[in-house]
Amino acid sequence: MRGKILWIHGWGMSQRVWADGAERLPGYDHHYIHFGDCREAADFSRTVERILMKSPGNWTMIGWSMGGMLALEAAMQTETRQRSGIAAVAVVGSTLRFVNSDRAKGWPLRIVERMRTQLRLQPDETLANFARSMFTPEEMKQWNGDPSSLVDGSDFSPEGLEAGLAYLIERDLTGDWLDYRTMTEIGVNPDAPRMLWIHGGDDPICPPGAMPDLPDGCKIVMEGAGHAPFLTQKESFYQHLGSFLYDRN
């Protein structure tokens, strides 16, 4: 069966962040997600599950930031994983818990709450500021892209943007992760979905400390990269991802 990839982008962004994915990863059917109909936090998980169940079998999920949490959430639900046929998961710059009092592992609640207030007052400026904050100062000097081009107001409704922040505030996958790791023995059990976690070494949104415990062969830290290594270290990123996908057999 031909493999399928579901690309899941992060909060406030759009599928345009994966513009190079299909060309760089041939041989797969590429599917993208749209969060425009999401109005509450639970809608995001339902949207992912709906796409997976519509065409079950041989799925790889590639999730970035909030999208990484959604990919992990789907993979860790036994019924969803088995019925949809999740074969592999690649998590990019994500976390098990976005809100954390330890700034080395996440964002303090007060900062996210302030962001939610600003979103209601100045949505465009809030999204643009968030997009700029994903990159390190050095990346901004070297990268030719425009952070504001990653924001797409049509992919999230105003209610969806606020619901996405609610998801990031409320969702804690830590307990599920511990159960999942024990049950599936990531990197050992051949029946478990293969997993790769790629993280920027200088990620200011989801710091490297947000990465959970993983076998060495299941994690890659890209030194000097911020929150979006697939944009600022494109060649290296897709090389890592390609090795993970094409070396599975």
mmCIF file of all heavy atoms in Angstrom, residues 76-125:
data_model
loop_
_atom_site.group_PDB
_atom_site.id
_atom_site.type_symbol
_atom_site.label_atom_id
_atom_site.label_comp_id
_atom_site.label_asym_id
_atom_site.label_seq_id
_atom_site.Cartn_x
_atom_site.Cartn_y
_atom_site.Cartn_z
ATOM 1 N N MET A 76 -1.029 8.150 20.525
ATOM 2 C CA MET A 76 -1.071 7.538 21.851
ATOM 3 C C MET A 76 -2.442 6.999 22.221
ATOM 4 O O MET A 76 -2.587 6.344 23.250
ATOM 5 C CB MET A 76 -0.593 8.548 22.913
ATOM 6 C CG MET A 76 0.888 8.852 22.796
ATOM 7 S SD MET A 76 1.557 9.830 24.171
ATOM 8 C CE MET A 76 0.681 11.379 24.003
ATOM 9 N N GLN A 77 -3.452 7.255 21.391
ATOM 10 C CA GLN A 77 -4.775 6.685 21.617
ATOM 11 C C GLN A 77 -4.851 5.339 20.893
ATOM 12 O O GLN A 77 -4.833 5.286 19.661
ATOM 13 C CB GLN A 77 -5.861 7.636 21.110
ATOM 14 C CG GLN A 77 -5.943 8.930 21.899
ATOM 15 C CD GLN A 77 -6.950 9.902 21.320
ATOM 16 O OE1 GLN A 77 -7.526 9.665 20.258
ATOM 17 N NE2 GLN A 77 -7.162 11.012 22.009
ATOM 18 N N THR A 78 -4.917 4.292 21.651
ATOM 19 C CA THR A 78 -4.804 2.948 21.085
ATOM 20 C C THR A 78 -5.807 2.705 19.948
ATOM 21 O O THR A 78 -5.440 2.224 18.869
ATOM 22 C CB THR A 78 -5.012 1.891 22.174
ATOM 23 O OG1 THR A 78 -4.046 2.089 23.214
ATOM 24 C CG2 THR A 78 -4.852 0.489 21.599
ATOM 25 N N GLU A 79 -7.070 3.047 20.167
ATOM 26 C CA GLU A 79 -8.084 2.780 19.144
ATOM 27 C C GLU A 79 -7.806 3.585 17.878
ATOM 28 O O GLU A 79 -7.876 3.052 16.761
ATOM 29 C CB GLU A 79 -9.480 3.114 19.681
ATOM 30 C CG GLU A 79 -10.585 2.781 18.686
ATOM 31 C CD GLU A 79 -11.969 3.031 19.252
ATOM 32 O OE1 GLU A 79 -12.086 3.433 20.425
ATOM 33 O OE2 GLU A 79 -12.945 2.827 18.507
ATOM 34 N N THR A 80 -7.478 4.865 18.037
ATOM 35 C CA THR A 80 -7.187 5.706 16.869
ATOM 36 C C THR A 80 -5.977 5.178 16.121
ATOM 37 O O THR A 80 -5.977 5.081 14.887
ATOM 38 C CB THR A 80 -6.930 7.154 17.307
ATOM 39 O OG1 THR A 80 -8.091 7.663 17.959
ATOM 40 C CG2 THR A 80 -6.584 8.033 16.110
ATOM 41 N N ARG A 81 -4.931 4.836 16.861
ATOM 42 C CA ARG A 81 -3.692 4.356 16.248
ATOM 43 C C ARG A 81 -3.937 3.076 15.449
ATOM 44 O O ARG A 81 -3.474 2.942 14.309
ATOM 45 C CB ARG A 81 -2.652 4.098 17.339
ATOM 46 C CG ARG A 81 -1.298 3.631 16.824
ATOM 47 C CD ARG A 81 -0.286 3.512 17.944
ATOM 48 N NE ARG A 81 -0.571 2.428 18.870
ATOM 49 C CZ ARG A 81 -0.979 2.591 20.121
ATOM 50 N NH1 ARG A 81 -1.163 3.798 20.599
ATOM 51 N NH2 ARG A 81 -1.209 1.558 20.907
ATOM 52 N N GLN A 82 -4.678 2.152 16.023
ATOM 53 C CA GLN A 82 -4.881 0.867 15.369
ATOM 54 C C GLN A 82 -5.875 0.957 14.219
ATOM 55 O O GLN A 82 -5.651 0.383 13.146
ATOM 56 C CB GLN A 82 -5.344 -0.161 16.404
ATOM 57 C CG GLN A 82 -4.268 -0.495 17.439
ATOM 58 C CD GLN A 82 -4.756 -1.460 18.505
ATOM 59 O OE1 GLN A 82 -5.964 -1.687 18.664
ATOM 60 N NE2 GLN A 82 -3.826 -2.024 19.256
ATOM 61 N N ARG A 83 -6.961 1.687 14.407
ATOM 62 C CA ARG A 83 -7.998 1.762 13.359
ATOM 63 C C ARG A 83 -7.536 2.580 12.159
ATOM 64 O O ARG A 83 -7.895 2.283 11.016
ATOM 65 C CB ARG A 83 -9.280 2.365 13.937
ATOM 66 C CG ARG A 83 -10.052 1.436 14.867
ATOM 67 C CD ARG A 83 -11.321 2.124 15.348
ATOM 68 N NE ARG A 83 -12.162 2.541 14.229
ATOM 69 C CZ ARG A 83 -13.046 3.540 14.290
ATOM 70 N NH1 ARG A 83 -13.171 4.240 15.416
ATOM 71 N NH2 ARG A 83 -13.780 3.844 13.247
ATOM 72 N N SER A 84 -6.747 3.615 12.408
ATOM 73 C CA SER A 84 -6.314 4.471 11.296
ATOM 74 C C SER A 84 -5.064 3.940 10.618
ATOM 75 O O SER A 84 -4.766 4.299 9.477
ATOM 76 C CB SER A 84 -6.065 5.895 11.796
ATOM 77 O OG SER A 84 -5.008 5.925 12.727
ATOM 78 N N GLY A 85 -4.318 3.090 11.312
ATOM 79 C CA GLY A 85 -3.109 2.536 10.725
ATOM 80 C C GLY A 85 -1.942 3.503 10.739
ATOM 81 O O GLY A 85 -1.305 3.744 9.712
ATOM 82 N N ILE A 86 -1.654 4.068 11.912
ATOM 83 C CA ILE A 86 -0.522 4.984 12.047
ATOM 84 C C ILE A 86 0.761 4.169 12.091
ATOM 85 O O ILE A 86 0.975 3.373 13.006
ATOM 86 C CB ILE A 86 -0.645 5.843 13.311
ATOM 87 C CG1 ILE A 86 -1.916 6.705 13.234
ATOM 88 C CG2 ILE A 86 0.587 6.732 13.486
ATOM 89 C CD1 ILE A 86 -2.226 7.449 14.525
ATOM 90 N N ALA A 87 1.609 4.352 11.100
ATOM 91 C CA ALA A 87 2.842 3.579 10.996
ATOM 92 C C ALA A 87 4.056 4.334 11.535
ATOM 93 O O ALA A 87 5.038 3.719 11.960
ATOM 94 C CB ALA A 87 3.093 3.188 9.541
ATOM 95 N N ALA A 88 4.016 5.663 11.474
ATOM 96 C CA ALA A 88 5.175 6.446 11.897
ATOM 97 C C ALA A 88 4.733 7.851 12.276
ATOM 98 O O ALA A 88 3.724 8.363 11.787
ATOM 99 C CB ALA A 88 6.219 6.509 10.775
ATOM 100 N N VAL A 89 5.509 8.448 13.171
ATOM 101 C CA VAL A 89 5.243 9.811 13.629
ATOM 102 C C VAL A 89 6.557 10.573 13.666
ATOM 103 O O VAL A 89 7.537 10.108 14.256
ATOM 104 C CB VAL A 89 4.602 9.830 15.038
ATOM 105 C CG1 VAL A 89 4.307 11.267 15.466
ATOM 106 C CG2 VAL A 89 3.340 8.988 15.080
ATOM 107 N N ALA A 90 6.583 11.743 13.041
ATOM 108 C CA ALA A 90 7.726 12.646 13.147
ATOM 109 C C ALA A 90 7.244 13.921 13.834
ATOM 110 O O ALA A 90 6.329 14.586 13.342
ATOM 111 C CB ALA A 90 8.297 12.972 11.771
ATOM 112 N N VAL A 91 7.836 14.221 14.967
ATOM 113 C CA VAL A 91 7.461 15.383 15.766
ATOM 114 C C VAL A 91 8.539 16.450 15.588
ATOM 115 O O VAL A 91 9.728 16.163 15.709
ATOM 116 C CB VAL A 91 7.332 14.993 17.254
ATOM 117 C CG1 VAL A 91 6.975 16.210 18.097
ATOM 118 C CG2 VAL A 91 6.295 13.888 17.432
ATOM 119 N N VAL A 92 8.121 17.667 15.297
ATOM 120 C CA VAL A 92 9.071 18.744 15.023
ATOM 121 C C VAL A 92 8.819 19.907 15.979
ATOM 122 O O VAL A 92 7.717 20.464 16.011
ATOM 123 C CB VAL A 92 8.937 19.248 13.570
ATOM 124 C CG1 VAL A 92 10.009 20.295 13.276
ATOM 125 C CG2 VAL A 92 9.024 18.082 12.580
ATOM 126 N N GLY A 93 9.830 20.265 16.760
ATOM 127 C CA GLY A 93 9.734 21.425 17.631
ATOM 128 C C GLY A 93 8.476 21.451 18.471
ATOM 129 O O GLY A 93 7.784 22.471 18.536
ATOM 130 N N SER A 94 8.180 20.361 19.138
ATOM 131 C CA SER A 94 6.939 20.283 19.893
ATOM 132 C C SER A 94 7.218 19.957 21.361
ATOM 133 O O SER A 94 8.353 20.070 21.836
ATOM 134 C CB SER A 94 6.002 19.251 19.259
ATOM 135 O OG SER A 94 4.698 19.358 19.790
ATOM 136 N N THR A 95 6.208 19.535 22.064
ATOM 137 C CA THR A 95 6.303 19.327 23.502
ATOM 138 C C THR A 95 5.149 18.455 23.961
ATOM 139 O O THR A 95 4.164 18.283 23.241
ATOM 140 C CB THR A 95 6.255 20.688 24.226
ATOM 141 O OG1 THR A 95 6.330 20.492 25.637
ATOM 142 C CG2 THR A 95 4.953 21.437 23.912
ATOM 143 N N LEU A 96 5.268 17.917 25.146
ATOM 144 C CA LEU A 96 4.153 17.200 25.754
ATOM 145 C C LEU A 96 3.260 18.148 26.544
ATOM 146 O O LEU A 96 2.099 17.858 26.792
ATOM 147 C CB LEU A 96 4.677 16.106 26.702
ATOM 148 C CG LEU A 96 5.539 15.010 26.076
ATOM 149 C CD1 LEU A 96 6.048 14.067 27.157
ATOM 150 C CD2 LEU A 96 4.768 14.236 25.011
ATOM 151 N N ARG A 97 3.836 19.289 26.917
ATOM 152 C CA ARG A 97 3.086 20.265 27.719
ATOM 153 C C ARG A 97 3.643 21.648 27.414
ATOM 154 O O ARG A 97 4.775 21.958 27.785
ATOM 155 C CB ARG A 97 3.232 19.930 29.204
ATOM 156 C CG ARG A 97 2.509 20.881 30.144
ATOM 157 C CD ARG A 97 2.852 20.555 31.578
ATOM 158 N NE ARG A 97 2.202 21.484 32.493
ATOM 159 C CZ ARG A 97 2.500 21.581 33.796
ATOM 160 N NH1 ARG A 97 3.450 20.794 34.313
ATOM 161 N NH2 ARG A 97 1.867 22.444 34.558
ATOM 162 N N PHE A 98 2.858 22.474 26.737
ATOM 163 C CA PHE A 98 3.346 23.773 26.313
ATOM 164 C C PHE A 98 3.538 24.724 27.486
ATOM 165 O O PHE A 98 4.515 25.470 27.555
ATOM 166 C CB PHE A 98 2.369 24.384 25.299
ATOM 167 C CG PHE A 98 2.862 25.649 24.675
ATOM 168 C CD1 PHE A 98 3.852 25.610 23.699
ATOM 169 C CD2 PHE A 98 2.353 26.877 25.062
ATOM 170 C CE1 PHE A 98 4.323 26.780 23.122
ATOM 171 C CE2 PHE A 98 2.812 28.051 24.480
ATOM 172 C CZ PHE A 98 3.806 28.005 23.514
ATOM 173 N N VAL A 99 2.600 24.721 28.424
ATOM 174 C CA VAL A 99 2.673 25.618 29.582
ATOM 175 C C VAL A 99 3.490 24.956 30.682
ATOM 176 O O VAL A 99 3.203 23.841 31.097
ATOM 177 C CB VAL A 99 1.263 25.963 30.090
ATOM 178 C CG1 VAL A 99 1.335 26.682 31.430
ATOM 179 C CG2 VAL A 99 0.529 26.824 29.075
ATOM 180 N N ASN A 100 4.509 25.666 31.127
ATOM 181 C CA ASN A 100 5.384 25.104 32.163
ATOM 182 C C ASN A 100 6.008 26.254 32.946
ATOM 183 O O ASN A 100 6.460 27.230 32.359
ATOM 184 C CB ASN A 100 6.473 24.237 31.515
ATOM 185 C CG ASN A 100 7.080 23.255 32.486
ATOM 186 O OD1 ASN A 100 7.552 23.634 33.557
ATOM 187 N ND2 ASN A 100 7.068 21.981 32.119
ATOM 188 N N SER A 101 6.037 26.123 34.242
ATOM 189 C CA SER A 101 6.650 27.174 35.068
ATOM 190 C C SER A 101 8.158 27.224 34.882
ATOM 191 O O SER A 101 8.792 28.238 35.174
ATOM 192 C CB SER A 101 6.310 26.943 36.554
ATOM 193 O OG SER A 101 6.760 25.655 36.965
ATOM 194 N N ASP A 102 8.734 26.132 34.397
ATOM 195 C CA ASP A 102 10.167 26.072 34.101
ATOM 196 C C ASP A 102 10.374 26.554 32.669
ATOM 197 O O ASP A 102 10.025 25.859 31.721
ATOM 198 C CB ASP A 102 10.666 24.633 34.267
ATOM 199 C CG ASP A 102 12.166 24.499 34.060
ATOM 200 O OD1 ASP A 102 12.796 25.473 33.607
ATOM 201 O OD2 ASP A 102 12.705 23.415 34.350
ATOM 202 N N ARG A 103 10.963 27.761 32.499
ATOM 203 C CA ARG A 103 11.110 28.345 31.171
ATOM 204 C C ARG A 103 12.028 27.518 30.276
ATOM 205 O O ARG A 103 12.001 27.677 29.046
ATOM 206 C CB ARG A 103 11.655 29.784 31.294
ATOM 207 C CG ARG A 103 11.582 30.566 29.984
ATOM 208 C CD ARG A 103 10.150 30.706 29.494
ATOM 209 N NE ARG A 103 10.069 31.366 28.171
ATOM 210 C CZ ARG A 103 10.104 30.742 27.017
ATOM 211 N NH1 ARG A 103 10.238 29.428 26.982
ATOM 212 N NH2 ARG A 103 10.014 31.407 25.877
ATOM 213 N N ALA A 104 12.822 26.631 30.860
ATOM 214 C CA ALA A 104 13.671 25.748 30.058
ATOM 215 C C ALA A 104 12.861 24.627 29.416
ATOM 216 O O ALA A 104 13.366 23.897 28.566
ATOM 217 C CB ALA A 104 14.780 25.153 30.918
ATOM 218 N N LYS A 105 11.578 24.511 29.813
ATOM 219 C CA LYS A 105 10.747 23.439 29.286
ATOM 220 C C LYS A 105 9.484 23.939 28.597
ATOM 221 O O LYS A 105 8.801 23.164 27.917
ATOM 222 C CB LYS A 105 10.355 22.480 30.415
ATOM 223 C CG LYS A 105 11.545 21.749 31.023
ATOM 224 C CD LYS A 105 11.091 20.781 32.103
ATOM 225 C CE LYS A 105 12.277 20.019 32.691
ATOM 226 N NZ LYS A 105 11.852 19.062 33.748
ATOM 227 N N GLY A 106 9.140 25.212 28.781
ATOM 228 C CA GLY A 106 7.906 25.718 28.185
ATOM 229 C C GLY A 106 7.683 27.177 28.494
ATOM 230 O O GLY A 106 8.588 27.882 28.945
ATOM 231 N N TRP A 107 6.451 27.629 28.260
ATOM 232 C CA TRP A 107 6.079 29.026 28.503
ATOM 233 C C TRP A 107 5.274 29.132 29.788
ATOM 234 O O TRP A 107 4.346 28.342 30.011
ATOM 235 C CB TRP A 107 5.232 29.551 27.350
ATOM 236 C CG TRP A 107 6.011 29.962 26.148
ATOM 237 C CD1 TRP A 107 7.248 29.515 25.786
ATOM 238 C CD2 TRP A 107 5.606 30.897 25.148
ATOM 239 N NE1 TRP A 107 7.635 30.114 24.621
ATOM 240 C CE2 TRP A 107 6.652 30.968 24.206
ATOM 241 C CE3 TRP A 107 4.470 31.668 24.957
ATOM 242 C CZ2 TRP A 107 6.580 31.789 23.081
ATOM 243 C CZ3 TRP A 107 4.399 32.488 23.842
ATOM 244 C CH2 TRP A 107 5.450 32.554 22.921
ATOM 245 N N PRO A 108 5.579 30.102 30.636
ATOM 246 C CA PRO A 108 4.749 30.326 31.832
ATOM 247 C C PRO A 108 3.318 30.661 31.446
ATOM 248 O O PRO A 108 3.070 31.308 30.418
ATOM 249 C CB PRO A 108 5.430 31.521 32.513
ATOM 250 C CG PRO A 108 6.837 31.513 32.001
ATOM 251 C CD PRO A 108 6.740 30.996 30.590
ATOM 252 N N LEU A 109 2.376 30.254 32.261
ATOM 253 C CA LEU A 109 0.961 30.468 31.980
ATOM 254 C C LEU A 109 0.652 31.951 31.784
ATOM 255 O O LEU A 109 -0.125 32.323 30.900
ATOM 256 C CB LEU A 109 0.110 29.896 33.117
ATOM 257 C CG LEU A 109 -1.401 30.134 33.013
ATOM 258 C CD1 LEU A 109 -1.969 29.506 31.749
ATOM 259 C CD2 LEU A 109 -2.100 29.568 34.256
ATOM 260 N N ARG A 110 1.259 32.811 32.581
ATOM 261 C CA ARG A 110 0.952 34.237 32.508
ATOM 262 C C ARG A 110 1.281 34.813 31.117
ATOM 263 O O ARG A 110 0.595 35.714 30.637
ATOM 264 C CB ARG A 110 1.701 35.008 33.597
ATOM 265 C CG ARG A 110 3.205 34.886 33.520
ATOM 266 C CD ARG A 110 3.918 35.647 34.620
ATOM 267 N NE ARG A 110 5.348 35.381 34.622
ATOM 268 C CZ ARG A 110 6.203 35.933 33.779
ATOM 269 N NH1 ARG A 110 5.765 36.807 32.882
ATOM 270 N NH2 ARG A 110 7.490 35.648 33.830
ATOM 271 N N ILE A 111 2.322 34.292 30.482
ATOM 272 C CA ILE A 111 2.708 34.789 29.156
ATOM 273 C C ILE A 111 1.681 34.365 28.110
ATOM 274 O O ILE A 111 1.287 35.151 27.234
ATOM 275 C CB ILE A 111 4.109 34.287 28.774
ATOM 276 C CG1 ILE A 111 5.155 34.896 29.717
ATOM 277 C CG2 ILE A 111 4.425 34.626 27.321
ATOM 278 C CD1 ILE A 111 6.567 34.457 29.426
ATOM 279 N N VAL A 112 1.208 33.138 28.209
ATOM 280 C CA VAL A 112 0.214 32.655 27.251
ATOM 281 C C VAL A 112 -1.112 33.378 27.467
ATOM 282 O O VAL A 112 -1.815 33.725 26.513
ATOM 283 C CB VAL A 112 0.029 31.132 27.356
ATOM 284 C CG1 VAL A 112 -0.893 30.628 26.250
ATOM 285 C CG2 VAL A 112 1.374 30.413 27.269
ATOM 286 N N GLU A 113 -1.461 33.628 28.728
ATOM 287 C CA GLU A 113 -2.685 34.363 29.021
ATOM 288 C C GLU A 113 -2.598 35.792 28.488
ATOM 289 O O GLU A 113 -3.574 36.336 27.949
ATOM 290 C CB GLU A 113 -2.945 34.375 30.536
ATOM 291 C CG GLU A 113 -3.317 33.018 31.122
ATOM 292 C CD GLU A 113 -4.738 32.606 30.783
ATOM 293 O OE1 GLU A 113 -5.373 33.241 29.917
ATOM 294 O OE2 GLU A 113 -5.225 31.630 31.383
ATOM 295 N N ARG A 114 -1.435 36.411 28.627
ATOM 296 C CA ARG A 114 -1.247 37.753 28.093
ATOM 297 C C ARG A 114 -1.385 37.740 26.569
ATOM 298 O O ARG A 114 -1.977 38.647 25.976
ATOM 299 C CB ARG A 114 0.125 38.286 28.492
ATOM 300 C CG ARG A 114 0.375 39.749 28.067
ATOM 301 C CD ARG A 114 1.825 40.120 28.245
ATOM 302 N NE ARG A 114 2.331 39.744 29.555
ATOM 303 C CZ ARG A 114 3.595 39.487 29.825
ATOM 304 N NH1 ARG A 114 4.508 39.561 28.864
ATOM 305 N NH2 ARG A 114 3.982 39.151 31.043
ATOM 306 N N MET A 115 -0.850 36.699 25.962
ATOM 307 C CA MET A 115 -0.951 36.559 24.516
ATOM 308 C C MET A 115 -2.415 36.420 24.090
ATOM 309 O O MET A 115 -2.841 36.963 23.063
ATOM 310 C CB MET A 115 -0.139 35.338 24.073
ATOM 311 C CG MET A 115 -0.008 35.158 22.587
ATOM 312 S SD MET A 115 1.105 33.758 22.266
ATOM 313 C CE MET A 115 0.923 33.617 20.500
ATOM 314 N N ARG A 116 -3.194 35.705 24.879
ATOM 315 C CA ARG A 116 -4.610 35.532 24.571
ATOM 316 C C ARG A 116 -5.348 36.872 24.653
ATOM 317 O O ARG A 116 -6.191 37.170 23.821
ATOM 318 C CB ARG A 116 -5.238 34.507 25.527
ATOM 319 C CG ARG A 116 -6.690 34.240 25.237
ATOM 320 C CD ARG A 116 -7.122 32.836 25.593
ATOM 321 N NE ARG A 116 -7.041 32.544 27.002
ATOM 322 C CZ ARG A 116 -7.514 31.420 27.551
ATOM 323 N NH1 ARG A 116 -8.082 30.499 26.773
ATOM 324 N NH2 ARG A 116 -7.410 31.192 28.829
ATOM 325 N N THR A 117 -4.991 37.690 25.633
ATOM 326 C CA THR A 117 -5.595 39.027 25.742
ATOM 327 C C THR A 117 -5.220 39.890 24.553
ATOM 328 O O THR A 117 -6.064 40.582 23.962
ATOM 329 C CB THR A 117 -5.137 39.708 27.046
ATOM 330 O OG1 THR A 117 -5.550 38.917 28.174
ATOM 331 C CG2 THR A 117 -5.727 41.101 27.173
ATOM 332 N N GLN A 118 -3.943 39.857 24.181
ATOM 333 C CA GLN A 118 -3.482 40.641 23.034
ATOM 334 C C GLN A 118 -4.138 40.183 21.740
ATOM 335 O O GLN A 118 -4.423 40.989 20.852
ATOM 336 C CB GLN A 118 -1.960 40.540 22.923
ATOM 337 C CG GLN A 118 -1.210 41.200 24.073
ATOM 338 C CD GLN A 118 0.272 40.889 24.063
ATOM 339 O OE1 GLN A 118 0.712 39.915 23.449
ATOM 340 N NE2 GLN A 118 1.059 41.709 24.760
ATOM 341 N N LEU A 119 -4.394 38.877 21.640
ATOM 342 C CA LEU A 119 -5.024 38.327 20.440
ATOM 343 C C LEU A 119 -6.410 38.929 20.242
ATOM 344 O O LEU A 119 -6.821 39.211 19.108
ATOM 345 C CB LEU A 119 -5.114 36.803 20.561
ATOM 346 C CG LEU A 119 -5.723 36.045 19.384
ATOM 347 C CD1 LEU A 119 -4.824 36.143 18.163
ATOM 348 C CD2 LEU A 119 -5.936 34.575 19.762
ATOM 349 N N ARG A 120 -7.148 39.143 21.315
ATOM 350 C CA ARG A 120 -8.490 39.715 21.213
ATOM 351 C C ARG A 120 -8.446 41.174 20.781
ATOM 352 O O ARG A 120 -9.341 41.653 20.087
ATOM 353 C CB ARG A 120 -9.198 39.595 22.565
ATOM 354 C CG ARG A 120 -9.479 38.161 22.995
ATOM 355 C CD ARG A 120 -9.872 38.087 24.449
ATOM 356 N NE ARG A 120 -10.067 36.708 24.900
ATOM 357 C CZ ARG A 120 -10.088 36.345 26.177
ATOM 358 N NH1 ARG A 120 -9.940 37.263 27.128
ATOM 359 N NH2 ARG A 120 -10.272 35.085 26.499
ATOM 360 N N LEU A 121 -7.393 41.887 21.194
ATOM 361 C CA LEU A 121 -7.300 43.316 20.914
ATOM 362 C C LEU A 121 -6.633 43.608 19.576
ATOM 363 O O LEU A 121 -7.076 44.486 18.827
ATOM 364 C CB LEU A 121 -6.527 44.008 22.043
ATOM 365 C CG LEU A 121 -7.132 43.903 23.445
ATOM 366 C CD1 LEU A 121 -6.185 44.496 24.485
ATOM 367 C CD2 LEU A 121 -8.481 44.608 23.495
ATOM 368 N N GLN A 122 -5.552 42.878 19.289
ATOM 369 C CA GLN A 122 -4.767 43.124 18.076
ATOM 370 C C GLN A 122 -4.358 41.782 17.447
ATOM 371 O O GLN A 122 -3.210 41.365 17.527
ATOM 372 C CB GLN A 122 -3.517 43.944 18.414
ATOM 373 C CG GLN A 122 -3.827 45.323 18.989
ATOM 374 C CD GLN A 122 -2.568 46.045 19.417
ATOM 375 O OE1 GLN A 122 -1.755 45.521 20.191
ATOM 376 N NE2 GLN A 122 -2.388 47.258 18.927
ATOM 377 N N PRO A 123 -5.298 41.107 16.826
ATOM 378 C CA PRO A 123 -5.008 39.752 16.314
ATOM 379 C C PRO A 123 -3.888 39.705 15.291
ATOM 380 O O PRO A 123 -3.009 38.837 15.371
ATOM 381 C CB PRO A 123 -6.347 39.310 15.719
ATOM 382 C CG PRO A 123 -7.118 40.574 15.500
ATOM 383 C CD PRO A 123 -6.687 41.512 16.578
ATOM 384 N N ASP A 124 -3.892 40.602 14.317
ATOM 385 C CA ASP A 124 -2.869 40.560 13.266
ATOM 386 C C ASP A 124 -1.476 40.809 13.836
ATOM 387 O O ASP A 124 -0.512 40.113 13.478
ATOM 388 C CB ASP A 124 -3.174 41.591 12.183
ATOM 389 C CG ASP A 124 -4.430 41.250 11.389
ATOM 390 O OD1 ASP A 124 -4.848 40.078 11.439
ATOM 391 O OD2 ASP A 124 -4.981 42.154 10.745
ATOM 392 N N GLU A 125 -1.378 41.785 14.702
ATOM 393 C CA GLU A 125 -0.076 42.095 15.294
ATOM 394 C C GLU A 125 0.404 40.962 16.192
ATOM 395 O O GLU A 125 1.596 40.625 16.216
ATOM 396 C CB GLU A 125 -0.172 43.390 16.101
ATOM 397 C CG GLU A 125 1.149 43.836 16.697
ATOM 398 C CD GLU A 125 1.036 45.159 17.425
ATOM 399 O OE1 GLU A 125 0.079 45.906 17.178
ATOM 400 O OE2 GLU A 125 1.921 45.439 18.268
#
